[in-house]
Amino acid sequence: MKMKTSYCASLTLLASLLTGTAFFAGCSDSGSSATQASSQNKGSAAERTYVAPGEKDEYYLFYSGGHSGQVFVAGLPSMRHLITIPVFAPSPGTGYGFDDESREMLGDFTWGDVHHPGLSKTDGMYDGRWLFVNDNANNRVARIDLRDFKTKQILGPIPNSSGNHGSSFVTENSEYLLVGTRFSVPLPMGRFAPVEDYADEFNGMVSGLKVDPESGDLSVGWQIITPPFNWDLGSTGKGPSSGWAFWTSYNTEMAHTKLEANASQRDRDYAAFVNWRAAEAAVKDGKADMLDGVPVIDPAKVPGVLYYVPIGKSPHGIDVDPSGRWIAASGKLQPTTTVFDFEKVQAAIDNKEFQAEFRGVPVLNYDVIVEGEVPVGLGPLHTQYDGKGNAYTSLYIESAVAKWKLPPWTDAEKANLEFTVLDKIGVHYNIGHLVIGGSDTRAPYGDWLVAMNKLSKGRHLSVGPSQPESSQLIDITGRKMEMVYESFTDPEPHFAQILKADMIQPIEVYPKAESNNPNAVWSLSDATYTREPGKVTAKVAAVRSQFGPDKITAEVGDTVVLHITNVEQTTDIIHGFAISGYDLNVIIDPGETKSVTFKADKVGVFPFYCTNFCSALHQEMQGYLEVKPASVTTASVD
Ligand code: K7E
Ligand code: CUA
């Protein structure tokens, strides 16, 4: 048995070194008749993923849109794209970034880099209220409301921070969104120091962003200043690790140039183990110094908030299991995933079992807290859990997912951790993140795994040099993993979250009775427009298939303020409002009022029209913006 496993493992290693991909399936001993019987009962792959016309998927899949600045939503298991939620980039399809409110949220930025969506939680379980996402590029986070799938808040740029990649990780009761900086810069922001002084003059930051329990509103709570380690991925604790959060660093070398080589020198980098409850308490006790308006903790002066943990070479993912006891972290440059036992971590902290100190922060004794190094395969990145005692690690270099058994391990398993690797499946190609529904909660769903692959290498009709990203659906209900479906997305998914569809009941119209917008108008006859010198204000009603008023007159140079209400109370009847030549397209949902302000900066007659098909007479839903030459005296309208 032992020989067989070892032989398989070395074959796999050899094959992956030669080809860059490997398939473990034939080697695993898990092709038992019981597995085959259970997969037969489940039906064919097509049957398992087919959602007939008119039927609905069981799950929502929210996946990051990377540098598109958006979030993609699909149904599972069909993998059908449902909607794209614009977050950090304008979207004419939904009018996002055109009306005053969303334009103000976006500020001067036109894009973002979304990596990690995080669902809000209550008692360690998804509560279906909000989805938080990060912007790696411009140091922001955003909150999407799952009642209407719209971005409601963008917080940032976060002070004293550069490169908000290790984000957004939600604590057990959504007390905080915990985020860490990928880059380090001289602080305070805007101070110059030469890059050569990186190790001494640059700093990174870990931040606690407070979540208002009622509204979900985000605000900056506190920060912990760190050496210029590049903080990478993170996660939050639960159970025994409740109140803790974890980030890996891929550059404890503190290299500032040629990172590919210079940040890969040490055999072990550090992870940060952060006691966020202790940080919160320290700030309350006045142990923080203010920097750019934020209480910032120096961990050398406040013992107990930060510990370093040595971790496999150039780590990326660090993931806490559903029990909160086991923490799996993977070093990209070593073929193992390291499992830490948080109970031992706590004991090591209590007994001060430190192996070193770095700038006043204790480094925990690796040998005392590690449970084992599981030989998962080449290029391990991220780990997810099925809630049935198994972990699944993505293998970038090997283009595979490894399934392995979490501790507690038997003596035989402990003596040879290859025994804990239960199965492996090839993916196409070079997987980054993977996701199992609820993996970061106390009770994962444990039925589907989505592999988010970085490359698709010709597995679909060619659309030119840039090929769509490939996402693959894997059934993990049997002992062996089974590939059942493959779909493609726009660039570029990183992480994702899966939510049971019955956890939310999105609203279908904004009830007129609940509108508290003072600028709303609910009938064509109530619609008004007024002009005072330099300014035209119109309250526009949109209803199938007319705008009221359908002529708005301004003088060149006027500021035009339009408040447009979609009077409809019928689901899915959307109106748009675009002005030809004015680069403007507002989309208004049923019962919604949106405002848009612009300058009438050119003389002429500019047709406006409804952009969203709404009735048989949709084409007739139009009007005119007249912009007259400036008059000498103040003229009244009409
Ligand atoms: Cu793409 Cu989480 Cu930013 Cu890994 S990260 S792959
Ligand atoms: Cu209103 Cu089309």
Side-chain angles (χ1 to χ4, degrees):
M1 192 61 218
K2 182 178 170 181
M3 277 194 57
K4 182 186 165 196
T5 314
S6 311
Y7 170 71
C8 279
S10 38
L11 242 194
T12 307
L13 191 69
L14 187 65
S16 33
L17 287 172
L18 291 174
T19 65
T21 58
F23 301 91
F24 198 62
C27 277
S28 162
D29 68 340
S30 55
S32 66
S33 52
T35 309
Q36 278 155 15
S38 80
S39 75
Q40 272 162 16
N41 292 343
K42 288 185 288 188
S44 67
E47 284 169 310
R48 271 178 275 166
T49 56
Y50 181 66
V51 177
E55 287 182 6
K56 289 173 187 163
D57 277 294
E58 194 180 349
Y59 300 104
Y60 289 100
L61 171 69
F62 298 95
Y63 45 142
S64 73
H67 45 282
S68 76
Q70 301 164 328
V71 168
F72 307 129
V73 186
L76 269 191
S78 76
M79 301 284 275
R80 291 188 298 210
H81 178 87
L82 295 172
I83 197 174
T84 295
I85 305 173
V87 183
F88 296 113
S91 163
T94 60
Y96 183 78
F98 290 83
D99 63 292
D100 292 347
E101 203 179 335
S102 57
R103 212 156 51 180
E104 197 192 319
M105 263 198 304
L106 288 174
D108 292 333
F109 294 108
T110 59
W111 77 292
D113 189 4
V114 177
H115 281 235
H116 308 108
L119 286 163
S120 59
K121 293 175 202 158
T122 300
D123 196 21
M125 301 292 291
Y126 297 150
D127 58 19
R129 301 177 79 190
W130 308 298
L131 181 74
F132 301 100
V133 296
N134 69 319
D135 169 17
N136 179 38
N138 305 310
N139 313 314
R140 296 172 295 173
V141 290
R143 176 172 49 88
I144 295 163
D145 195 324
L146 293 180
R147 284 174 305 185
D148 57 7
F149 285 56
K150 286 180 185 168
T151 304
K152 292 295 165 65
Q153 186 192 3
I154 293 177
L155 175 80
I158 300 164
N160 310 317
S161 299
S162 177
N164 181 40
H165 182 258
S167 168
S168 316
F169 307 111
V170 184
T171 57
E172 279 170 290
N173 284 294
S174 305
E175 298 97 333
Y176 283 99
L177 215 59
L178 295 172
V179 308
T181 53
R182 173 175 172 191
F183 304 120
S184 292
V185 289
L187 294 176
M189 298 295 281
R191 179 172 75 90
F192 175 80
V195 176
E196 288 68 31
D197 296 347
Y198 185 80
D200 298 320
E201 292 291 329
F202 289 49
N203 282 102
M205 205 63 91
V206 162
S207 308
L209 309 178
K210 193 113 191 74
V211 183
D212 183 274
E214 295 305 317
S215 65
D217 259 7
L218 296 160
S219 57
V220 181
W222 41 260
Q223 298 183 308
I224 302 170
I225 194 165
T226 75
F229 299 160
N230 296 61
W231 298 117
D232 206 8
L233 259 284
S235 58
T236 57
K238 57 176 103 60
S241 57
S242 178
W244 288 78
F246 313 95
W247 284 269
T248 57
S249 157
Y250 58 89
N251 183 20
T252 39
E253 292 86 351
M254 299 188 289
H256 67 278
T257 166
K258 299 190 182 72
L259 259 64
E260 186 184 24
N262 292 339
S264 306
Q265 298 171 54
R266 295 177 53 170
D267 273 341
R268 292 202 201 289
D269 283 288
Y270 288 149
F273 280 35
V274 173
N275 185 334
W276 63 260
R277 284 219 181 91
E280 187 180 49
V283 169
K284 257 193 204 123
D285 294 347
K287 292 182 186 159
D289 302 311
M290 296 305 283
L291 184 62
D292 198 9
V294 184
V296 175
I297 297 168
D298 177 350
K301 292 190 210 148
V302 186
V305 299
L306 174 64
Y307 297 90
Y308 297 132
V309 168
I311 213 159
K313 209 171 165 72
S314 299
H316 187 50
I318 184 161
D319 296 280
V320 180
D321 92 308
S323 77
R325 178 171 175 189
W326 311 111
I327 300 169
S330 300
K332 294 170 298 217
L333 301 182
Q334 69 175 38
T336 55
T337 287
T338 308
V339 185
F340 296 98
D341 178 350
F342 196 83
E343 289 181 1
K344 291 181 187 162
V345 169
Q346 191 62 63
I349 290 170
D350 294 344
N351 303 328
K352 298 203 172 0
E353 288 185 87
F354 308 139
Q355 67 179 48
E357 207 181 75
F358 187 86
R359 294 190 186 170
V361 172
V363 180
L364 295 182
N365 189 330
Y366 180 82
D367 296 325
V368 166
I369 61 173
V370 73
E371 187 68 12
E373 295 179 3
V374 179
V376 287
L378 297 182
L381 295 181
H382 301 285
T383 298
Q384 294 278 284
Y385 305 96
D386 63 6
K388 300 165 192 164
N390 301 305
Y392 300 76
T393 299
S394 57
L395 305 173
Y396 177 83
I397 297 174
E398 214 170 303
S399 288
V401 173
K403 172 182 177 180
W404 51 278
K405 185 172 170 283
L406 276 173
W409 293 318
T410 64
D411 288 345
E413 286 165 343
K414 234 178 172 161
N416 189 344
L417 285 173
E418 280 177 3
F419 288 160
T420 66
V421 180
L422 305 172
D423 188 24
K424 208 175 259 193
I425 190 167
V427 296
H428 309 91
Y429 295 91
N430 297 96
I431 181 172
H433 273 276
L434 72 183
V435 64
I436 293 172
S439 174
D440 59 337
T441 68
R442 284 190 289 104
Y445 308 150
D447 45 5
W448 298 111
L449 182 155
V450 178
M452 285 166 279
N453 309 316
K454 295 297 181 196
L455 299 174
S456 55
K457 293 194 204 173
R459 285 181 68 88
H460 54 90
L461 291 175
S462 175
V463 290
S466 176
Q467 305 189 5
E469 320 297 336
S470 138
S471 293
Q472 293 182 305
L473 182 68
I474 297 169
D475 183 337
I476 55 167
T477 54
R479 179 139 183 234
K480 278 183 72 62
M481 294 177 276
E482 282 181 84
M483 179 72 66
V484 294
Y485 196 70
E486 177 164 15
S487 75
F488 303 95
T489 74
D490 280 334
E492 170 180 287
H494 291 265
F495 191 40
Q497 297 265 270
I498 295 170
L499 182 67
K500 271 213 165 91
D502 60 15
M503 285 291 299
I504 55 175
Q505 285 86 40
I507 54 178
E508 306 218 316
V509 299
Y510 297 104
K512 174 182 168 183
E514 288 171 27
S515 168
N516 49 14
N517 191 317
N519 295 311
V521 280
W522 296 101
S523 71
L524 292 169
S525 53
D526 289 343
T528 59
Y529 89 97
T530 53
R531 179 166 186 270
E532 57 194 280
K535 187 177 180 188
V536 171
T537 307
K539 293 184 179 181
V540 180
V543 64
R544 279 165 290 177
S545 300
Q546 257 192 78
F547 290 112
D550 61 1
K551 189 183 83 169
I552 297 169
T553 306
E555 279 189 21
V556 72
D558 280 359
T559 297
V560 180
V561 184
L562 305 179
H563 307 289
I564 311 161
T565 301
N566 179 344
V567 174
E568 312 284 351
Q569 291 285 286
T570 308
T571 184
D572 211 18
I573 300 297
I574 314 293
H575 296 296
F577 187 97
I579 306 178
S580 180
Y582 263 90
D583 194 30
L584 190 154
N585 180 38
V586 178
I587 302 292
I588 317 103
D589 288 351
E592 189 178 38
T593 302
K594 275 188 179 165
S595 301
V596 59
T597 305
F598 60 98
K599 217 165 194 78
D601 56 3
K602 45 196 176 236
V603 174
V605 178
F606 303 91
F608 57 77
Y609 72 103
C610 174
T611 40
N612 204 105
F613 212 100
C614 54
S615 76
L617 296 175
H618 155 79
Q619 207 72 346
E620 281 76 357
M621 195 164 173
Q622 63 156 68
Y624 294 94
L625 169 70
E626 296 179 330
V627 183
K628 297 181 183 172
S631 58
V632 189
T633 56
T634 305
S636 66
V637 180
D638 276 352

